[in-house]
């Protein structure tokens, strides 16, 4: 058994095995996570609300036969509703909001035996690829606290990377699981559209862009948690093809040679940092040494058309979120209820007509079909996860005196590879296979065909073995940077 002070560095699978064997009581796991949060959160601000007494009480009665019995986890402060927990979506208007029901994801996570110990920091409505809400303050990257952990699941990624919890909930509408996974040196899988349910309150989000899953340190945890979370719920508008067997078994299956497309240039024509290009090149070499075929192949995307259409959906979503809350709460669309950038994005979104929104959606659907045709002869598309290293805090924040949508446009050049999987509805992961000369994590990204999570998880497991990251740990308190 691992010493108690090392429990936080075990993955969720290993922690649950200790519980099943009776080597560790679930209360010990929860207490260890809460101590770690207490010690590190002043520096990282990854956790914005704690659920200590309730989680400790639940630890005393959890069924130890469940797959993740007693394992402490976090829910993101955006979606993932769970009755009795606070959920602000990073918005000051919702700072005292308490959920009255369980989302399908939260219900399934709890049914797996996981114990929710709190909420992870998220930007307001998840609109930007960093985690710096005015309500809670910025989350910080464990590898360099002057840098962003990414977003919008930045608090989740920072918590997992720093050993607060072995897994944390995330959602992904343009890369929000994969972006922070790359920035923080952890593993993040965005499932296929419809693989995990958004119910009961939602059929889809952003016309199908958003998927829910988790951020983990190990591939096996991501696969096993997908087994627990996957599958449609009554009323869901669509569902991904059913998996034959389990995702966990697929991740451990005997490898077969794959044909992989490789692209290290941005689909939108912007610059790609040399370390990001090096990450995917190194991963490609490792995969070739394992018998896979890697072919240079650029997707035929019209970058300007995609960015324009994606922006229409994103800004319309901001407008809908603000207008809906204003109507429900009887308040104006103004500060101090919403952040200046959110108000600007919502105002811009209000300028689009329903016709323009539908036209943008159709444009992205055409682009998605082009992606599918272009990748028909390949098993997956390999790219860097991001075009830049983890940015300094504040890099995406507008001038408070004159906020514009420039922060959103900067985001496209930061994350040119991740958005493709969202508008195409395809599964994709970020794996932390590379570290820069400065000691910053750099992710490699792989996107597969619809419903091909099993193939992607097997590929990720091979990368995890060939270019291991699990034993890497960020600095501890008392070390410069933290």
């Amino acid at each position: 058994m691992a010493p108690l002070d090392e429990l936080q560095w075990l993955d969720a699978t290993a922690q649950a095995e200790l519980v099943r064997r009776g080597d560790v009581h679930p209360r010990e796991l929860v207490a260890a996570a809460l101590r770690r949060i207490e010690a590190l959160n002043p520096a990282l601000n990854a956790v914005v609300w704690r659920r200590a007494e309730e989680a400790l009480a639940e630890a005393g009665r959890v069924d130890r036969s469940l797959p993740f019995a007693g394992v402490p986890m976090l829910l993101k402060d955006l979606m993932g509703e769970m009755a009795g927990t606070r959920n602000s979506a990073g918005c000051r208007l919702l700072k005292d909001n308490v959920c009255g029901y369980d989302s399908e994801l939260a219900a399934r996570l709890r049914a797996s035996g996981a114990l929710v110990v709190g909420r992870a920091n998220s930007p307001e409505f998840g609109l930007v690829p960093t985690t710096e809400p005015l309500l809670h303050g910025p989350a910080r990257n464990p590898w360099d606290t002057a840098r962003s952990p990414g977003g919008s699941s930045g608090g989740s990624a920072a918590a997992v990377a720093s050993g607060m919890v072995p897994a944390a909930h995330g959602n992904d509408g343009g890369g929000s699981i994969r972006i922070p996974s790359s920035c923080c040196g952890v593993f993040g899988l965005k499932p296929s559209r419809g693989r995990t349910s958004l119910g009961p309150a939602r059929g889809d989000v952003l016309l199908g862009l958003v998927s829910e899953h988790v951020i983990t340190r190990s591939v096996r945890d991501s696969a096993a948690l997908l087994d627990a979370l996957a599958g449609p719920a009554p009323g869901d508008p669509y569902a991904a093809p059913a998996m034959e067997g389990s995702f966990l078994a697929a991740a451990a299956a005997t490898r077969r040679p794959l044909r992989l497309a490789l692209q290290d240039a941005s689909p939108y024509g912007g610059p790609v940092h040399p370390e990001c290009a090096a990450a995917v090149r190194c991963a490609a070499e490792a995969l070739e040494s394992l018998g896979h075929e890697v072919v240079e192949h650029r997707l035929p995307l019209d970058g300007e058309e995609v960015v324009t259409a994606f922006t229409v959906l994103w800004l319309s979503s901001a407008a809908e979120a603000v207008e809906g809350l204003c109507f429900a709460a009887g308040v104006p669309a103004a500060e101090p209820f919403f952040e200046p950038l959110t108000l600007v994005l919502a105002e811009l979104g209000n300028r689009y007509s329903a016709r323009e929104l539908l036209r943008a959606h159709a444009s992205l659907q055409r682009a998605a079909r082009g992606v599918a045709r272009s990748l028909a002869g390949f098993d997956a598309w390999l790219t860097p996860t991001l075009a830049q290293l983890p940015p300094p805090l504040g890099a995406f924040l507008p001038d408070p005196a004159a906020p514009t949508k420039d922060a959103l446009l900067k985001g496209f050049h930061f994350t040119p590879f991740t958005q493709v999987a969202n508008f195409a509805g395809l599964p994709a992961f970020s794996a932390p296979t590379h570290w820069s000369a400065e000691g910053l994590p750099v992710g490699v990204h792989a996107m597969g065909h619809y419903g091909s999570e099993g193939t992607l998880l097997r590929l990720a497991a091979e990368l995890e073995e060939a270019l291991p990251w699990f034993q890497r740990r960020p600095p501890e308190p008392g070390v410069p940077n933290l």
Side-chain angles (χ1 to χ4, degrees):
M1 189 189 93
L4 289 179
D5 61 355
E6 285 289 299
L7 281 177
Q8 68 270 16
W9 294 115
L10 298 177
D11 70 356
T13 301
Q15 288 191 14
E17 180 59 28
L18 290 177
V19 169
R20 268 191 297 278
R21 293 203 310 256
D23 292 338
V24 167
H25 193 281
R27 278 194 295 269
E28 291 179 276
L29 292 181
V30 172
L34 291 170
R35 284 196 302 272
R36 186 79 174 165
I37 292 169
E38 183 72 22
L40 297 187
N41 209 53
L44 300 180
N45 196 31
V47 180
V48 297
W49 180 75
R50 300 174 203 182
R51 188 174 174 270
E53 292 182 7
E54 299 91 335
L56 286 167
E58 290 169 0
R61 54 181 184 269
V62 68
D63 180 349
R64 297 192 184 197
S65 68
L66 294 172
F68 291 102
V71 178
M73 299 188 192
L74 292 167
L75 291 172
K76 181 179 176 179
D77 192 33
L78 180 65
M79 300 173 58
E81 293 84 358
M82 176 178 160
T85 64
R86 293 186 182 273
N87 191 346
S88 71
C91 177
R92 289 172 290 181
L93 181 59
L94 296 174
K95 64 183 178 66
D96 296 320
N97 178 57
V98 176
C99 303
Y101 67 96
D102 280 4
S103 65
E104 194 66 33
L105 178 135
R108 294 183 187 190
L109 194 65
R110 299 178 79 186
S112 76
L115 300 176
V116 175
V117 297
R119 288 268 178 196
N121 207 349
S122 173
E124 188 166 53
F125 307 134
L127 290 172
V128 287
T130 187
T131 302
E132 304 177 50
L134 292 180
L135 172 61
H136 299 300
R140 296 178 180 272
N141 194 315
W143 296 92
D144 180 348
T145 55
R147 293 179 184 262
S148 170
S152 61
S153 307
S156 293
V160 172
S162 61
M164 293 181 183
V165 290
H169 163 232
N171 34 52
D172 192 315
S176 288
I177 286 174
R178 293 158 289 152
I179 295 164
S181 293
S182 179
C183 287
C184 293
V186 289
F187 182 78
L189 170 75
K190 182 201 86 71
S192 297
R193 181 177 295 151
R195 176 67 71 195
T196 53
S197 176
L198 302 177
R202 305 170 184 88
D204 68 14
V205 177
L206 271 171
L207 296 179
L209 294 184
V210 175
S211 294
E212 296 234 86
H213 191 35
V214 292
I215 292 172
T216 62
R217 293 180 64 231
S218 69
V219 174
R220 69 176 183 176
D221 275 0
S222 186
L225 279 160
L226 191 57
D227 283 325
L229 299 175
D236 282 356
Y238 36 68
M243 176 70 179
E244 291 186 14
S246 74
F247 293 106
L248 182 59
T254 302
R255 70 169 63 104
R256 63 176 179 85
L258 300 177
R259 190 165 189 259
L260 306 171
L262 172 65
Q263 179 173 338
D264 62 5
S266 167
Y268 309 142
V272 174
H273 193 284
E275 292 276 18
C276 298
V280 72
R281 292 284 172 181
C282 291
E285 289 176 10
L287 292 170
E288 283 184 313
S289 73
L290 295 173
H292 301 296
E293 180 185 6
V294 180
V295 179
E296 301 265 357
H297 180 79
R298 185 160 185 159
L299 290 187
L301 288 173
D302 183 329
E304 183 176 353
E305 181 181 1
V306 168
V307 169
T308 298
F310 208 97
T311 299
V312 172
L313 264 66
W314 210 256
L315 297 180
S316 298
S317 171
E320 188 277 331
V322 169
E323 183 175 326
L325 280 177
C326 289
F327 177 80
V331 300
E335 293 192 77
F337 305 113
F338 303 97
E339 296 185 12
L341 176 60
T342 299
L343 291 170
V344 168
L345 299 181
E347 193 277 327
L348 292 170
N350 277 321
R351 298 179 188 179
Y352 296 120
S353 67
R355 291 188 301 276
E356 288 171 303
L357 178 61
L358 291 174
R359 193 176 300 127
H361 189 216
S363 178
L364 290 178
Q365 288 182 328
R366 284 194 302 273
R369 291 181 183 277
V371 168
R373 287 193 297 269
S374 181
L375 294 180
F378 298 95
D379 293 289
W381 183 50
L382 287 179
T383 69
T385 304
L386 302 172
Q388 302 166 27
L389 298 180
L393 288 168
F396 295 103
L397 299 186
D399 178 351
T404 71
K405 67 176 182 180
D406 285 350
L408 191 63
L409 298 177
K410 286 180 187 176
F412 283 108
H413 292 293
F414 177 49
T415 65
F417 304 102
T418 58
Q419 298 138 13
V420 178
N422 296 89
F423 70 72
L426 304 179
F429 69 72
S430 176
T433 59
H434 186 79
W435 261 254
S436 74
E438 304 166 74
L440 297 172
V442 183
V444 64
H445 186 257
M447 182 181 77
H449 296 288
Y450 188 62
S452 69
E453 286 93 337
T455 297
L456 283 186
L457 286 164
R458 175 63 259 177
L459 184 66
E462 291 182 50
L463 285 171
E464 186 179 34
E465 183 178 350
L467 300 168
W469 63 78
F470 191 81
Q471 297 306 319
R472 288 184 179 266
R473 300 179 184 179
E476 291 286 314
V479 176
N481 281 351
L482 197 63

